[in-house]
Each structure stands twice: as C-alpha cells, then as structure tokens.
Amino acid sequence: MLYQFVCDYAIVNSSYSTNEPFQQKILWLILDHCDDSQVRSLFETVLTHNLPISGHTLLQFAQRFMSLGQAHVGFEIIRNTLRLGADPSSYEIQSSCVKLLRIRPEQDDWYDYQNTVVAELLQLGVRPNVILWNCIMQNAIEAGRYETAWRWYDMGINDGLKPTRPTIFILLKIVKDQKNEDLLRSVIDEAHKTGVLPNDLEVVYDLLHAVLVIGQQKGDSGGLGDENFQNCLRYYVQYCDIGPLQELGCRLGPVSEWQSCDRQLPAPTPNIIGIMVMAYLGGHGPWEHAIDLWIRYDSLVTSKHPLIAPLANTDHVSNAFLMRFGNHKHTLHYCTAVISSMIKSTPSETSRSRTMRSTTPNQTGQPTLQTWNILQRAYMKHQLTEAAEKVVSMLRKRGFIPDRVTWTQLISLYLNRQQTYKVVYAAKAMKDSGIEYDDVTIRTLQRIADKPRFFKAMDEADRRLQVVYGGDRSSQSQMENPSREDTLEKSSSEPTDEEVALKHKPPSDSEFWGQ
C-alpha cells in the first residue's frame, strides 16, 4: 500500500544523503489516501527519518489533523511552518488559520482560548485577509462579543480590507442580535458602497429579516405592530417589485413615495414574500384584513403561484397565520382551516434553494411540533380546555412527542382552571418523558396556590419536585394552614391528587383528552 511505501522509503534512505528531493506530490497523494488512524503515524515517520517536506505539505498535514479535531497539533504545525519562513499572507497559511479558528474546543472559555491563538498568529506576522477577517468576526458574534466584532471590523477597514458579501451577512447578524436600528442603517450604507445592494436578493431578505426582528422588539415593548410592516415595506419597495404583495391583497399605503424610479425592480424571492407576509400578520390591524390575506394566500398556493406557492413548503407562514387567528375569538375557527390546508399540502416544484428554511425535516409544509404548540396556545388563550387537550392527542397521532412547551402550556392552563389533579398528571408526564423543568416551567409551578396538596400528591411519585420550592419542607408551616383564598376548590366527583399521583397510570386519550 502507498502508506507502507513511504515508511519503507524513509527507512531505506534514512542513512543516505538525499541528492534528489523527495517528491512532495507523492507524499501529498499518500496523505490524501490515508485513513485517520494512519495520519499521525505517517507524520511521525516523515519527521523521524528527516524526509524533506515542504511548507505546503506541512500545511496539508495540519489540515488533516484539524479535520480530526486536533486543533493543538494543527496550530503547532502552522506555527512551525511560519517560523520556517512561510509567507503569512499566502492562501495556504490564511486558509489553515481559518480552519483552525473554526474548530470549537470543548471548553467553556473557547473564545478566550481562540483569542490567544489569534494574538500569537498576529505576532508571527499573519495579517488577516478578508476571509480570515470574516472568520474572526464570526467567532466573536458566536461568543456574544458584539463590540469585539465591531472593533475587528473597524481594524480591518483601517487596514484596507474591503467588505464582501459574507461580511454584510455577519454585520446583519450583529444587528439582529443587538436589535439596533442605527447599526442597521450603517450596514445598509456599507452594503451599497460594496455593491452588494441593491441587486443581491439574499442580502435583501436578510435586511428585511433584521427590520422585522427590530420591529418585533418594539411591538413587545409596547410599540405599534402595524408600523413594522410599513418599515419593512419602505425597504422592500427599494429593491423588489410590489406585484406579488398586491396579488395577496396587502394594504400597502403610500408606496409610491418610497419606490425607486431609476431601474426596473426584480421580482422578490419566496423568502422575501414570506418575511413581508409575517410582518403584515404581526400588526394589529382589523382582523378582516388577516382573513382576506389568508383567503388570497390559500388560493394562490392552490393554484401553484410560482412565487407564493413555495411558501407552503415550510411551516413558517402557516404558523404566522395561526398566531394571528388565535388572538381573536372571531377568527379562531380559521386555525382549523390553516391546519387542514397544511395537512393536505404538497411541496411546490419550485427549487428548494429558493424556499424558506423549515423546521419540517422533509420540507413538505406539514404541521410541525411548533405548529401544534401554537394551536394549543390559541385554545388556551380562550379557555378552551378540551380543545387544548385534544391538540395533544392530535400531535401524538401524527408521530410527534409532546415537548417542554406542550406540557408547560398544559400546566399553566390547568392552574388557571384550578384543576390540581391535572397539574399533577401533566407535571409527572413531563418528567417521565425525560424532560427537565426549565425556568418557565418552574415559574409556572410556583403559581400553585395550594402547595401542601400539590406536595402531598407528588411526594410519592417524584420527591425531586420539591427542588422547585427550595427543597425546604420545614419552611412550610404556613403552607400547612393555608388561607381560604389560597385553597383550590375541588369537586367531590374528581379523583384525589394522591390517587392520580400514586397510581401513576396516564389515562388513555379517550379517557383524559375527551375524544
């Protein structure tokens, strides 16, 4: 085998002076055919027998070691290659540094470690090219060091680096994480300077997504949701044709004031239309507008509109309709229509690369677990207990397993209805599914008024639940004699909490979920 050939060659020639250089291409080809277990042995053989090896071949070894996750070995090879006189600005060095910095050490302070690596590379004369520069900024973002990322951006600009398309995506990621409108305007200006805008529709999509995220934060803090669509629209009309939005019947307002008149605008991608639909549904306008949009949208999907039908390949837009319809009792029955449409949908023939990313593994637009949880929450909002319970049965029948959100929502519903024994059942079912309580679940359970009764029901089944309340049973003297307003009323016809908890036999769907 080739691997053995190198080893034999090294042993035979180790005692002779090498008059002819060892063929680096041979070594490179052998390295390419070695399995993972042979790479280290081959490298040790080359070093032990002092075979001549070029800097390029050394970096090939570094790349293989880093592919195996051995960042420390790769870094040592890069360091030695630089000390032997390799050009730090060469593509091989720069690309090896990128690969090195994209490895995540299994340690909490991975970013601090990588910072020391970057500092040493700089000391060894490495000056980042644009690819390495983007990589360093991306690492800072993933570590939540946004100001550090911006400092690196400024340093790169000062060193004469020109932002590229990936740079703009990185900066938009910072904007979305920090929800900073001023930064967004700066990034848009930079995208125009670099020529990425106005023609790159994937950047337009990411830009609109950033506007949507910023607007959603304003809505959460009491801002006007309808302004979010108008803000998205101001940018949209500068880059894309408004025709598809008009076909959907969106109320667009004074778009002529914002439109660009100096060029023919391209049709938007399905991704972009999806963002605009979600922004439209996120507003607080008349619910009749949402119904009209749904009717038009469903019709265009059914007729396989080339730009709108691909939106049904994922759950994103359908989930947005569910959230909007679930807010009002007048529109709640449209939730059933949305679910029915998702279940009977078939994937559009449009290229998958131009459709929205989905939480549905096969991208068929079928309801996902998130879809069912949104539907359950809609029924909870309107105190429709049996309908919310029925959702659990429906999602199980379609092959899903209730998750933390599903169970926590049920617990909250039962608490609101003062159905203690069902709280016990849901809390136990959640634990028995291997799902740990998160902060939201714990805060929900802390709303229980009749804590002694809840403890009594849960003690035999799961003593660990006491941790929710600090685990200090001795401090419950006040709980043992609760006031009247803290006591949950209970019908004599209901099973006791102790019976439900101790039997620990979940009722069948027909018994519990009211089929």
Side-chain angles (χ1 to χ4, degrees), residues 6 9-10 13-14 16-28 45-58 61 84:
V6 171
Y9 179 93
N13 291 277
S14 59
Y16 299 96
S17 59
T18 306
N19 294 322
E20 296 182 6
F22 185 69
Q23 293 297 316
Q24 299 298 307
K25 187 172 183 179
I26 294 175
L27 185 55
W28 182 85
T45 298
V46 170
L47 294 182
T48 301
H49 297 283
N50 201 27
L51 286 178
I53 182 169
S54 68
H56 177 76
T57 308
L58 272 174
F61 273 106
L84 291 172

Side-chain angles (χ1 to χ4, degrees), residues 74-342:
F75 184 32
E76 184 64 28
I77 294 175
I78 294 171
R79 182 192 288 126
N80 289 333
T81 305
L82 287 167
R83 288 171 178 166
L84 291 172
D87 180 2
S89 65
S90 67
Y91 172 79
E92 291 83 0
I93 287 289
Q94 296 277 331
S95 62
S96 295
C97 291
V98 169
K99 191 173 186 72
L100 172 65
L101 293 176
R102 292 306 292 166
I103 296 174
R104 288 285 174 275
E106 294 183 2
Q107 54 194 71
D108 293 337
D109 60 343
W110 66 267
Y111 184 72
D112 293 331
Y113 166 76
Q114 288 199 341
N115 252 350
T116 63
V117 172
V118 172
E120 185 166 348
L121 290 173
L122 293 175
Q123 289 177 353
L124 291 168
V126 176
R127 289 294 174 267
N129 63 9
V130 68
I131 299 174
L132 181 53
W133 179 47
N134 286 337
C135 170
I136 294 171
M137 288 190 288
Q138 180 69 25
N139 282 351
I141 291 170
E142 291 173 2
R145 312 286 182 89
Y146 303 111
E147 296 203 356
T148 302
W150 275 108
R151 281 200 301 272
W152 271 105
Y153 175 76
D154 290 337
M155 286 190 288
I157 296 296
N158 292 335
D159 283 345
L161 293 176
K162 302 295 183 185
T164 60
R165 185 172 184 265
T167 313
I168 300 302
F169 281 119
I170 289 169
L171 296 180
L172 285 171
K173 170 67 174 172
I174 299 176
V175 169
K176 285 185 273 189
D177 283 329
Q178 294 198 313
K179 300 176 178 61
N180 189 313
E181 202 164 356
D182 292 332
L183 288 182
L184 174 61
R185 284 191 285 267
S186 298
V187 174
I188 293 172
D189 289 343
E190 194 60 57
H192 278 278
K193 288 178 187 175
T194 59
V196 174
L197 288 177
N199 297 318
D200 192 319
L201 293 183
E202 289 190 21
V203 174
V204 172
Y205 163 76
D206 219 33
L207 182 163
L208 291 172
H209 186 227
V211 176
L212 179 64
V213 168
I214 293 170
Q216 286 172 339
Q217 184 198 38
K218 287 183 178 179
D220 292 342
S221 60
L224 296 176
D226 294 326
E227 288 184 1
N228 201 9
F229 176 70
Q230 292 299 314
N231 288 337
C232 288
L233 190 61
R234 281 187 180 91
Y235 289 105
Y236 174 96
V237 297
Q238 297 177 44
Y239 305 110
C240 297
D241 176 38
I242 62 172
L245 298 185
Q246 291 173 325
E247 289 184 78
L248 285 165
C250 296
R251 273 72 173 175
L252 302 181
V255 292
S256 59
E257 299 175 10
W258 309 323
Q259 279 182 305
S260 173
C261 301
D262 58 352
R263 67 189 184 100
Q264 181 70 35
L265 296 175
T269 63
N271 279 347
I272 291 174
I273 300 173
I275 286 288
M276 297 304 295
V277 170
M278 288 190 281
Y280 193 82
L281 291 170
H284 304 295
W287 50 265
E288 294 92 347
H289 291 180
I291 292 174
D292 183 51
L293 177 62
W294 163 252
I295 293 171
R296 289 172 181 256
Y297 168 78
D298 192 45
S299 174
L300 291 167
V301 168
T302 302
S303 63
K304 300 192 181 301
H305 188 289
L307 295 177
I308 295 168
L311 297 178
N313 288 348
T314 74
D315 62 334
H316 295 84
V317 171
S318 296
N319 287 350
F321 275 111
L322 281 178
M323 286 189 281
R324 181 62 190 272
F325 290 147
N327 282 334
H328 304 281
K329 213 156 194 176
H330 311 84
T331 56
L332 194 58
H333 62 285
Y334 278 95
C335 290
T336 305
V338 173
I339 293 290
S340 298
S341 181
M342 294 177 77

